[in-house]
Amino acid sequence: MAPRQPGDEVREPPEGLGTDMINFRSDNNASVDAPILEALIAEASKRDDAYGRDEVTAKLDEEWSAVFETAVHVIPVLSGTAANAISVAAVTPSYGTLLCHRQAHIVEAEVNAAGFFQPGLAISSFEGAHGKISASALQAALENSPWKSWNRSQPAALSVTQATELGSVYEPAELSELTDIARRYELCVHMDGARLANAIAHLGCTPAAATWRCGVDILSLGASKNGCMLGEAIVVFREQYIPRVRYKAKQSGQVAAKLRFVSAQLRAYCRGGRWLRSASRANAAAERLARGLAAIDRVQVATPPQANIVLATLPREVIDALRAGGFTFNDWDRNGTVRLVTSFDTSEEDIATLIQAVRTLVGRSVA
Amino acid sequence: MAPRQPGDEVREPPEGLGTDMINFRSDNNASVDAPILEALIAEASKRDDAYGRDEVTAKLDEEWSAVFETAVHVIPVLSGTAANAISVAAVTPSYGTLLCHRQAHIVEAEVNAAGFFQPGLAISSFEGAHGKISASALQAALENSPWKSWNRSQPAALSVTQATELGSVYEPAELSELTDIARRYELCVHMDGARLANAIAHLGCTPAAATWRCGVDILSLGASKNGCMLGEAIVVFREQYIPRVRYKAKQSGQVAAKLRFVSAQLRAYCRGGRWLRSASRANAAAERLARGLAAIDRVQVATPPQANIVLATLPREVIDALRAGGFTFNDWDRNGTVRLVTSFDTSEEDIATLIQAVRTLVGRSVA
Amino acid sequence: MAPRQPGDEVREPPEGLGTDMINFRSDNNASVDAPILEALIAEASKRDDAYGRDEVTAKLDEEWSAVFETAVHVIPVLSGTAANAISVAAVTPSYGTLLCHRQAHIVEAEVNAAGFFQPGLAISSFEGAHGKISASALQAALENSPWKSWNRSQPAALSVTQATELGSVYEPAELSELTDIARRYELCVHMDGARLANAIAHLGCTPAAATWRCGVDILSLGASKNGCMLGEAIVVFREQYIPRVRYKAKQSGQVAAKLRFVSAQLRAYCRGGRWLRSASRANAAAERLARGLAAIDRVQVATPPQANIVLATLPREVIDALRAGGFTFNDWDRNGTVRLVTSFDTSEEDIATLIQAVRTLVGRSVA
Amino acid sequence: MAPRQPGDEVREPPEGLGTDMINFRSDNNASVDAPILEALIAEASKRDDAYGRDEVTAKLDEEWSAVFETAVHVIPVLSGTAANAISVAAVTPSYGTLLCHRQAHIVEAEVNAAGFFQPGLAISSFEGAHGKISASALQAALENSPWKSWNRSQPAALSVTQATELGSVYEPAELSELTDIARRYELCVHMDGARLANAIAHLGCTPAAATWRCGVDILSLGASKNGCMLGEAIVVFREQYIPRVRYKAKQSGQVAAKLRFVSAQLRAYCRGGRWLRSASRANAAAERLARGLAAIDRVQVATPPQANIVLATLPREVIDALRAGGFTFNDWDRNGTVRLVTSFDTSEEDIATLIQAVRTLVGRSVA
């Protein structure tokens, strides 16, 4: 089973790009936001109880409940994969099907963690422009499902990524349309909010309006992409899920001994709306980048970014030269489209340098 | 998650059709072949050890090894789902991907048993005319897989159904082409042989030529569709899989207390090539049926059957009237194509009755 | 991990004992009861729908509901291991603990099928005389459990075997005492009724009084030990478990294509109280055997059998000679106690022959 | 299943003890060691690749290989539970049994994570003085295992905790004796080294001599108990385990996006032998504490500590008063034995304060 011929790894350039590179590859590659680091430093000299029984963790629910304007329970975990897998396992029985977009992270980059956390769970994915599930596709899929068959997996849950893996953002009305359909068929709704902050920053609505008021039952809330150091969160909107989520977190090794250090980050992340401000910065950087690139001949930016991801199409030789010149980013497809991700710490200088480099390289390349 | 609106159940007519119907719905609905029943009756008065430690089971490997012209180990199980799931779990690690056709039974009608038996296993399915995986599609899928990525499931096994769920049959050369590609990428090869007997009967080749000589490592061998009462078999061609297959069979409750009664059937099934003769009868019935239907106006039989399945397109009102008249069969799609399955016990009278009924109903219906 | 030195296999004599032996090894080794075989023969010539959608299966619930004097749902499965594992998985979450006796079949001889069907499930077993869980041991175990700890598995279900693996039988009042304690701690109750028929025959009470009226929520009902050919049943007393049990049966390959042949057996098993009559015969044989052995010098039968198992202590050389002489049975321990199991088809002649042989051999052996 | 009556939680005092308490409850409750924090601060301002493809992680194997004097592969994870479960799942098949001490953390406080990571895995635990598995108990257990039975789980791996959960330490010769027995039966050997550093500090031997030279195949290396903030490590001594461990880590959500922050800690932990120095400090504190307590009337310290755990028996009223007075620690049993754990940051003042408090309280209490 060990492959002889490496395939064409579209999104994963060779390893070891190091720290001299200018990072447009992922918001996971960013630094740590100052208030987050400060919170860790402040906690580091203290002693307190382990496994979440500490004073820092004790305030987590209260603070995030205020943010979401409803009682929530927050379970800190290490990774988005864990947040997603534990969440979908909580709302999908072993004979259930999880519905999601073909390009969902859950499908593409989690080594089927969902199927590991809930053995037997099936995933049914479908198309949708811009990474967004269309209501008609969902409706059709649910109408045509083998309901009441004892021989077929039963649709049980819907997972929507907000903002999507392509960086597009659902309007609350679009989300509600999807969740209304889901509910009609008694599906639970999970939101992969790895970049939820970026979506909310774009929409300018409240966190409540972006999640549970749109019918979301359980949320993977991204933090490490947006300034945290180590940690993400599961936000549970429905009390009945809490035991199974908490126990699965423990059983899967997601409850750190010194959990308070993850909680401390999540509270600093929340404090004063830091998470939304960091996301706004990243979004603004993406917007500037997109505008600058779109103005260059032979460069296409098909849609203006709604979050912190820019998909730009460049001549192949420009792509290669940019990499040789120290910029890191992933290919999006084999037709010259690249994915540029901005982070809370992407500087104006980084943006300007990239735009200038593209301009120069395009100028040099054969038309 | 309990659905309110039953979907349009394409392939599963309402329950309780009873025994007065003329069965073209499935070879699973057939009677029990006489030699199989005789073997059970003969064994029923005896006493012998349980869990496979008996004298009947002791001869299973020897007799099937002779059939396959190589040393095999046979593990009796209750169902095709168990045979498939245990087999693919044996050759696919939890982080592996199983490749198969979009219409594979494993994908469509086993409630993701494969993902239950091997938690984390991912399934990647693709298109192919007539239910057959094309070599170029397989090659492309494997070339484009995220080899060596620690973040992506790794292709690990290929499952081919022979004869396919549509009743088509791979030529040995076609199979070898697929398994050669698979091996180049170090994939293991599983064959879902629910209707292998029908394929072999069609091909006129040896069981060896149809399986391990074509690169098959492990086989689900169908028996209940072809005259047996209760039971199927896993045929293991590679010794290193035996322990994990045997233990998984036990751990999943597939080892019957009085296992000798499954073994007795499998030996009677094998004896004197009964399995191939039963399959030939079913194939011949399908051929007669197809010829008869194709000769009727406004009825299309797109491809001549290669095994015991006929896909015929009829006017909708004819389909409804046939059902009202006591014939059972499944819809294949929503465009008037139905799936007619013949069995070892489908009589000439059954065939003639159906053809005549279609002719009459077509005559009556508005063109 | 392949062992070099076979351990002392206390209960599993070498393989291949064949059919000439006189069987006291297991009721699994018995023949098939005539009405069961007749039902299979009658069904064998018919055609009907697969996967349980047939006319035979359609009556299963009705007939067994009458037997249990309450609405039950019956799910046919292949083995006791499957019946147990699917049942306990239905009533124990992944973070739950199943409580049972140290000698429970679930613990000793199922390759931890329970932990395979419900990944993460823990088993906590404890002692009890005669294979029976004592109320005080259960009470103590539950009092001392780490309730409400997010770091420890939570007791979730109790499994009692009736009749026990040692052949002892709980009085209904004893069972109720256990289930009352269980319920106080909100545990679900599973009964491993592999030999329930023998227990009921001994008690002379109704099936209802022996099961749900004693607080049993879900039951593994043994059939193959008591005259059936292939098959056992899960009997569900609580409606909310039905979907998860049915889907798990399908997902684990326990739904046979020609399920009607298992259903036919289970209905013949039930008809006219056949199951209880067969068990009575086996119990009576055990009683005769025990009386005869107890009368022999240097043979101890510690407790009179309550079901169809006799534990008798014999001199070692007698044990060896019996085996050499064609009797099969298992060692119970290393101190000369053997387990003799009678079946519905154990003849008076079998009993007399064994008693005589023991008498003779004891006479010959050195005191 | 929700318990009504909380049991007597022996080791888990009520929540919310906060930071004013003097911590003898767990080394998990300690602060963060300065060099670890510095390494995190240094890395926090940088950008680098995610999921372990960064420059920091790139050096992890090299540095720890030097420590262990052999080529090792280090996989960072979040918790000891994850390290243990992934490790044992790598060396135990689903039909395998893991052997360990009755008081192993794997058994007592991981919600059967091992059985979740490897569905079907069985755990067989046994007694041993001072938390240490005795060679004779292991030998007996293996001799009496049901080798070669297809109906019983097969012993597959041994897990030893070093230092044990009671704080005792195996001599290398004791470990080798155990692993020699294990190997004779072809078992793999896992070491739960949550407090390995403390054991090595006590033994004064090399890390190599304490692990792979004693026959250990895979190691859970504790870090958070010994000065780190968030993270532990799996150290793989045998190359063939690497793929399954790495993929299981990813699939279970143990691969953090900004993995470099766990790696940075693990490298600072290793640098200049910091891990062993921190452990030595904790051990020395335990020794002082034990001497001081043992000198007090009516206080028993049954065995001198070998690592950083002191088990001391005190009058009940003294225990209660200590808690009221601000000391946190766990009960070890119901007979007045408490578990006092020292950490790398336990000050002389902490020790002196506790000893003095005990002396005073004992003086006041009625003899």
Side-chain angles (χ1 to χ4, degrees):
Chain A
M1 208 220 64
R4 284 284 143 74
Q5 306 194 22
D8 189 357
E9 291 178 21
V10 179
R11 291 196 196 75
E12 292 182 27
E15 301 189 17
L17 291 181
T19 54
D20 293 336
M21 299 296 196
I22 303 183
N23 171 43
F24 288 95
R25 186 173 181 189
S26 173
D27 30 4
N28 279 326
N29 296 4
S31 59
V32 175
D33 194 16
I36 309 289
L37 184 63
E38 283 155 28
L40 288 172
I41 294 170
E43 187 61 28
S45 56
K46 300 183 184 170
R47 286 90 167 266
D48 204 346
D49 235 347
Y51 299 119
R53 292 186 303 256
D54 61 275
E55 287 189 345
V56 180
T57 306
K59 292 274 198 278
L60 209 46
D61 285 356
E62 177 184 319
E63 292 179 0
W64 280 98
S65 294
V67 167
F68 282 100
E69 299 175 78
T70 189
V72 303
H73 186 64
V74 178
I75 292 110
V77 294
L78 180 67
S79 63
T81 291
N84 286 341
I86 293 174
S87 297
V88 303
V91 300
T92 315
S94 65
Y95 55 91
T97 301
L98 173 73
L99 281 66
C100 59
H101 192 278
R102 187 178 60 73
Q103 288 168 304
H105 195 262
I106 281 176
V107 173
E108 301 235 297
E110 297 187 1
V111 194
N112 195 17
F116 170 66
F117 274 78
Q118 183 62 281
L121 173 155
I123 297 178
S124 178
S125 65
F126 35 83
E127 296 284 348
H130 306 301
K132 290 165 68 172
I133 299 168
S134 81
S136 56
L138 178 63
Q139 177 66 38
L142 288 171
E143 267 175 22
N144 295 325
S145 288
W147 294 108
K148 297 193 180 175
S149 165
W150 292 109
N151 298 325
R152 312 284 170 120
S153 303
Q154 300 293 295
L158 168 70
S159 178
V160 281
T161 310
Q162 173 77 313
T164 74
E165 289 78 6
L166 278 67
S168 57
V169 172
Y170 293 90
E171 289 290 325
E174 288 178 306
L175 271 177
S176 293
E177 190 180 13
L178 292 178
T179 65
D180 283 348
I181 295 170
R183 254 175 236 320
R184 214 173 301 144
Y185 289 88
E186 293 185 26
L187 269 58
C188 301
V189 179
H190 163 255
M191 174 177 276
D192 180 349
R195 296 188 177 96
L196 177 63
N198 303 82
I200 292 176
H202 171 79
L203 291 168
C205 68
T206 64
T211 57
W212 63 274
R213 288 210 162 107
C214 284
V216 174
D217 296 311
I218 191 166
L219 164 68
S220 302
L221 176 63
S224 290
K225 280 178 162 65
N226 194 25
C228 283
M229 178 190 282
L230 289 167
E232 322 282 356
I234 298 171
V235 179
V236 183
F237 295 108
R238 292 191 180 283
E239 210 178 341
Q240 75 257 34
Y241 298 145
I242 294 174
R244 72 189 85 159
V245 175
R246 286 197 69 167
Y247 277 113
K248 188 60 70 187
K250 176 66 189 185
Q251 194 175 52
S252 61
Q254 288 293 325
V255 180
K258 291 176 171 170
L259 188 70
R260 59 192 168 107
F261 288 101
V262 187
S263 303
Q265 295 177 65
L266 292 174
R267 288 178 62 192
Y269 188 54
C270 157
R271 199 167 297 131
R274 186 71 180 182
W275 63 311
L276 296 179
R277 278 194 281 158
S278 293
S280 294
R281 291 180 52 181
N283 287 0
E287 204 183 344
R288 283 199 308 280
L289 177 61
R291 273 202 319 267
L293 290 177
I296 302 172
D297 251 4
R298 294 175 60 212
V299 173
Q300 290 90 40
V301 177
T303 46
Q306 292 178 304
N308 61 322
I309 294 175
V310 178
L311 297 178
T313 311
L314 314 168
R316 180 87 264 177
E317 60 275 19
V318 172
I319 294 173
D320 296 340
L322 281 171
R323 288 210 167 104
F327 297 91
T328 78
F329 50 88
N330 285 349
D331 292 327
W332 184 248
D333 61 24
R334 297 170 194 281
N335 300 323
T337 304
V338 299
R339 184 187 84 152
L340 305 166
V341 186
T342 56
S343 311
F344 82 96
D345 67 352
T346 303
S347 66
E348 299 227 19
E349 187 185 342
D350 291 331
I351 301 288
T353 306
L354 176 57
I355 292 172
Q356 184 54 40
V358 172
R359 186 173 292 129
T360 303
L361 291 169
V362 166
R364 286 189 204 156
S365 89
V366 178
Chain B
M1 203 220 64
R4 286 283 143 75
Q5 306 193 22
D8 189 359
E9 291 178 19
V10 178
R11 291 194 195 77
E12 292 182 27
E15 302 189 17
L17 292 181
T19 54
D20 293 335
M21 299 295 194
I22 302 183
N23 170 45
F24 287 96
R25 184 172 183 191
S26 174
D27 31 4
N28 279 327
N29 298 2
S31 58
V32 175
D33 194 16
I36 310 290
L37 183 63
E38 282 155 30
L40 287 172
I41 294 170
E43 188 60 28
S45 57
K46 300 182 184 171
R47 287 89 165 265
D48 204 344
D49 236 346
Y51 299 118
R53 291 185 305 254
D54 60 273
E55 287 188 346
V56 179
T57 307
K59 291 275 198 281
L60 207 48
D61 285 357
E62 180 184 316
E63 292 179 0
W64 281 98
S65 295
V67 167
F68 282 100
E69 299 175 81
T70 190
V72 303
H73 185 62
V74 178
I75 293 110
V77 293
L78 179 68
S79 63
T81 292
N84 286 342
I86 293 175
S87 297
V88 302
V91 298
T92 315
S94 65
Y95 56 91
T97 301
L98 174 73
L99 281 67
C100 59
H101 191 278
R102 186 179 59 75
Q103 289 168 302
H105 195 263
I106 281 176
V107 173
E108 302 235 297
E110 297 187 0
V111 194
N112 195 16
F116 170 65
F117 274 77
Q118 182 64 281
L121 175 154
I123 297 178
S124 177
S125 64
F126 35 83
E127 295 285 351
H130 306 301
K132 290 163 69 172
I133 300 169
S134 81
S136 57
L138 179 62
Q139 178 67 37
L142 288 170
E143 268 175 22
N144 294 324
S145 288
W147 296 108
K148 295 194 180 176
S149 167
W150 291 111
N151 298 326
R152 312 285 171 119
S153 302
Q154 299 293 297
L158 168 71
S159 179
V160 280
T161 310
Q162 171 80 312
T164 74
E165 290 77 6
L166 278 67
S168 57
V169 173
Y170 292 90
E171 290 290 323
E174 288 178 307
L175 271 177
S176 294
E177 191 180 14
L178 291 179
T179 64
D180 283 349
I181 295 170
R183 253 177 234 318
R184 214 173 301 144
Y185 288 88
E186 292 185 26
L187 269 58
C188 301
V189 179
H190 163 255
M191 174 177 276
D192 179 350
R195 296 188 178 96
L196 177 63
N198 303 81
I200 292 175
H202 171 78
L203 291 169
C205 68
T206 65
T211 57
W212 62 274
R213 287 209 163 109
C214 282
V216 173
D217 296 310
I218 191 166
L219 163 69
S220 302
L221 176 63
S224 290
K225 281 177 163 63
N226 193 27
C228 284
M229 178 189 284
L230 289 167
E232 322 281 358
I234 298 172
V235 180
V236 183
F237 294 109
R238 291 190 180 283
E239 209 177 340
Q240 76 258 33
Y241 299 144
I242 294 173
R244 72 189 85 160
V245 175
R246 285 198 69 166
Y247 278 114
K248 188 62 67 185
K250 176 65 188 182
Q251 194 175 52
S252 61
Q254 288 293 325
V255 180
K258 289 174 173 169
L259 189 70
R260 57 193 170 105
F261 287 100
V262 187
S263 304
Q265 297 177 63
L266 292 174
R267 289 178 60 194
Y269 187 55
C270 157
R271 199 166 298 130
R274 188 70 180 183
W275 64 310
L276 297 178
R277 278 194 282 158
S278 293
S280 294
R281 291 179 52 181
N283 289 1
E287 202 181 343
R288 284 198 308 279
L289 176 62
R291 272 199 323 262
L293 291 177
I296 303 171
D297 252 6
R298 292 173 62 213
V299 173
Q300 289 87 41
V301 177
T303 46
Q306 291 178 304
N308 61 322
I309 294 174
V310 179
L311 297 178
T313 311
L314 313 168
R316 180 91 281 207
E317 60 274 17
V318 172
I319 294 174
D320 295 340
L322 283 171
R323 286 207 169 107
F327 296 90
T328 78
F329 50 88
N330 284 351
D331 291 326
W332 183 248
D333 61 24
R334 301 172 192 280
N335 302 321
T337 303
V338 299
R339 184 187 84 152
L340 305 165
V341 186
T342 56
S343 310
F344 81 96
D345 67 351
T346 304
S347 66
E348 300 226 18
E349 186 186 344
D350 290 331
I351 301 288
T353 306
L354 176 58
I355 292 171
Q356 184 54 39
V358 172
R359 187 172 291 129
T360 303
L361 291 168
V362 165
R364 287 189 204 155
S365 87
V366 179
Chain C
M1 206 219 67
R4 285 283 144 73
Q5 307 193 21
D8 189 0
E9 290 176 20
V10 179
R11 292 196 195 75
E12 292 182 25
E15 300 189 19
L17 293 179
T19 54
D20 292 336
M21 298 296 195
I22 303 183
N23 171 42
F24 288 96
R25 185 172 182 189
S26 173
D27 30 6
N28 279 326
N29 296 4
S31 58
V32 175
D33 194 16
I36 310 289
L37 184 62
E38 282 156 29
L40 288 172
I41 293 170
E43 188 61 27
S45 56
K46 299 182 182 170
R47 287 88 165 265
D48 204 344
D49 235 347
Y51 299 118
R53 291 187 302 254
D54 60 275
E55 286 188 347
V56 180
T57 306
K59 291 274 197 279
L60 209 47
D61 285 357
E62 178 184 318
E63 292 178 2
W64 280 98
S65 294
V67 168
F68 282 101
E69 300 175 80
T70 190
V72 303
H73 185 62
V74 178
I75 293 109
V77 293
L78 179 66
S79 64
T81 291
N84 286 341
I86 293 174
S87 296
V88 303
V91 298
T92 315
S94 65
Y95 55 91
T97 301
L98 173 74
L99 281 68
C100 59
H101 192 278
R102 186 179 59 74
Q103 288 168 305
H105 194 263
I106 281 176
V107 173
E108 301 235 295
E110 297 188 1
V111 194
N112 194 18
F116 169 66
F117 274 77
Q118 184 62 281
L121 173 156
I123 297 177
S124 177
S125 64
F126 35 83
E127 296 283 351
H130 306 302
K132 290 163 69 173
I133 300 168
S134 81
S136 56
L138 179 62
Q139 178 66 38
L142 287 172
E143 267 176 22
N144 295 324
S145 288
W147 295 108
K148 295 193 180 179
S149 167
W150 291 110
N151 298 324
R152 312 286 169 119
S153 303
Q154 300 293 296
L158 169 71
S159 178
V160 280
T161 310
Q162 172 79 313
T164 75
E165 289 79 5
L166 277 68
S168 56
V169 172
Y170 293 89
E171 290 290 325
E174 288 178 306
L175 271 177
S176 293
E177 191 180 13
L178 292 179
T179 64
D180 283 349
I181 295 171
R183 253 175 235 319
R184 214 173 301 145
Y185 289 88
E186 292 185 24
L187 269 59
C188 302
V189 179
H190 164 255
M191 174 177 276
D192 180 349
R195 295 187 179 98
L196 176 63
N198 302 82
I200 292 175
H202 171 78
L203 292 168
C205 66
T206 64
T211 57
W212 63 275
R213 290 209 161 107
C214 284
V216 173
D217 296 310
I218 191 167
L219 164 68
S220 302
L221 177 62
S224 289
K225 281 177 162 66
N226 194 26
C228 284
M229 178 190 282
L230 289 167
E232 321 281 358
I234 298 172
V235 179
V236 183
F237 295 109
R238 293 192 178 280
E239 207 177 345
Q240 76 257 34
Y241 299 144
I242 295 173
R244 73 189 84 162
V245 175
R246 285 198 68 167
Y247 277 114
K248 188 62 68 188
K250 176 65 188 183
Q251 195 176 51
S252 61
Q254 289 292 327
V255 179
K258 290 174 173 171
L259 189 70
R260 58 193 169 105
F261 287 100
V262 187
S263 304
Q265 297 177 63
L266 292 174
R267 288 178 61 193
Y269 188 54
C270 156
R271 200 167 296 132
R274 188 71 180 181
W275 64 309
L276 296 179
R277 279 195 281 157
S278 293
S280 295
R281 291 180 52 181
N283 286 1
E287 203 182 344
R288 283 198 308 279
L289 177 61
R291 272 200 322 263
L293 291 178
I296 302 171
D297 251 7
R298 294 175 60 216
V299 174
Q300 290 89 39
V301 178
T303 46
Q306 292 178 303
N308 62 322
I309 294 175
V310 178
L311 297 179
T313 311
L314 314 168
R316 181 86 253 172
E317 61 274 18
V318 171
I319 294 173
D320 296 341
L322 282 171
R323 287 208 168 105
F327 296 91
T328 78
F329 50 87
N330 284 350
D331 292 326
W332 184 248
D333 63 25
R334 298 169 196 283
N335 301 322
T337 304
V338 298
R339 183 186 84 153
L340 304 165
V341 186
T342 56
S343 311
F344 82 96
D345 68 350
T346 303
S347 67
E348 299 225 20
E349 185 185 343
D350 290 331
I351 301 288
T353 305
L354 177 57
I355 293 172
Q356 184 54 39
V358 173
R359 186 173 292 128
T360 304
L361 290 169
V362 166
R364 288 189 203 154
S365 87
V366 178
Chain D
M1 206 220 67
R4 286 282 145 74
Q5 309 192 19
D8 188 0
E9 290 177 19
V10 178
R11 291 195 193 78
E12 293 182 27
E15 300 190 19
L17 292 181
T19 54
D20 292 335
M21 299 295 195
I22 302 184
N23 170 43
F24 288 96
R25 185 173 181 187
S26 173
D27 30 5
N28 279 327
N29 297 3
S31 58
V32 175
D33 195 16
I36 310 290
L37 184 62
E38 282 155 28
L40 287 173
I41 293 171
E43 188 60 28
S45 55
K46 298 183 186 170
R47 289 88 165 265
D48 204 345
D49 235 348
Y51 300 119
R53 291 185 305 254
D54 62 273
E55 288 189 344
V56 179
T57 306
K59 291 275 199 277
L60 207 47
D61 285 357
E62 179 183 317
E63 293 178 0
W64 280 99
S65 295
V67 167
F68 282 101
E69 299 175 81
T70 191
V72 304
H73 186 63
V74 178
I75 293 110
V77 293
L78 180 67
S79 64
T81 291
N84 285 342
I86 294 174
S87 296
V88 302
V91 298
T92 314
S94 66
Y95 55 91
T97 301
L98 174 72
L99 281 67
C100 59
H101 191 278
R102 187 178 59 75
Q103 289 169 304
H105 195 261
I106 281 176
V107 173
E108 301 236 295
E110 297 187 1
V111 194
N112 194 17
F116 170 66
F117 274 77
Q118 183 61 281
L121 174 154
I123 297 178
S124 176
S125 64
F126 34 84
E127 296 283 350
H130 306 302
K132 290 163 70 172
I133 300 168
S134 81
S136 57
L138 179 63
Q139 178 65 38
L142 288 171
E143 267 176 21
N144 295 324
S145 289
W147 295 108
K148 294 193 181 177
S149 166
W150 291 110
N151 299 324
R152 312 284 171 120
S153 303
Q154 300 294 297
L158 167 71
S159 178
V160 280
T161 310
Q162 171 80 312
T164 75
E165 290 77 6
L166 278 67
S168 57
V169 172
Y170 292 89
E171 290 290 326
E174 288 179 306
L175 273 176
S176 293
E177 191 181 13
L178 293 178
T179 64
D180 283 348
I181 294 170
R183 255 178 234 318
R184 214 173 300 145
Y185 289 87
E186 290 185 26
L187 269 57
C188 301
V189 179
H190 164 255
M191 174 177 276
D192 179 350
R195 296 188 178 95
L196 176 63
N198 303 81
I200 291 175
H202 171 79
L203 292 169
C205 67
T206 64
T211 56
W212 63 274
R213 288 206 163 110
C214 283
V216 173
D217 296 310
I218 191 166
L219 163 69
S220 303
L221 176 63
S224 290
K225 283 179 161 65
N226 194 28
C228 285
M229 178 190 283
L230 288 167
E232 322 280 357
I234 298 172
V235 180
V236 183
F237 294 109
R238 290 189 182 282
E239 210 177 340
Q240 75 257 34
Y241 299 145
I242 294 173
R244 70 189 86 160
V245 174
R246 285 197 68 165
Y247 277 114
K248 189 61 69 187
K250 176 65 188 183
Q251 195 176 51
S252 61
Q254 289 293 326
V255 180
K258 289 175 173 170
L259 189 71
R260 58 194 169 106
F261 288 100
V262 187
S263 305
Q265 296 176 63
L266 293 174
R267 289 178 61 192
Y269 187 55
C270 157
R271 198 167 298 131
R274 186 72 180 184
W275 64 310
L276 297 179
R277 280 195 280 158
S278 292
S280 294
R281 292 180 50 180
N283 287 0
E287 203 182 344
R288 284 199 306 278
L289 177 61
R291 273 201 320 265
L293 292 176
I296 302 172
D297 251 5
R298 294 174 59 213
V299 173
Q300 289 88 39
V301 177
T303 46
Q306 290 179 304
N308 61 322
I309 295 175
V310 178
L311 297 178
T313 311
L314 314 168
R316 181 87 253 167
E317 59 275 18
V318 172
I319 294 173
D320 295 341
L322 282 172
R323 287 208 168 106
F327 296 91
T328 78
F329 50 88
N330 284 350
D331 291 327
W332 183 249
D333 62 26
R334 300 171 193 279
N335 300 321
T337 303
V338 299
R339 183 187 84 153
L340 305 166
V341 187
T342 56
S343 311
F344 82 97
D345 68 350
T346 304
S347 66
E348 300 226 18
E349 185 186 343
D350 291 330
I351 301 289
T353 306
L354 176 58
I355 293 170
Q356 183 55 41
V358 173
R359 186 174 292 129
T360 304
L361 290 167
V362 166
R364 289 188 202 155
S365 86
V366 178

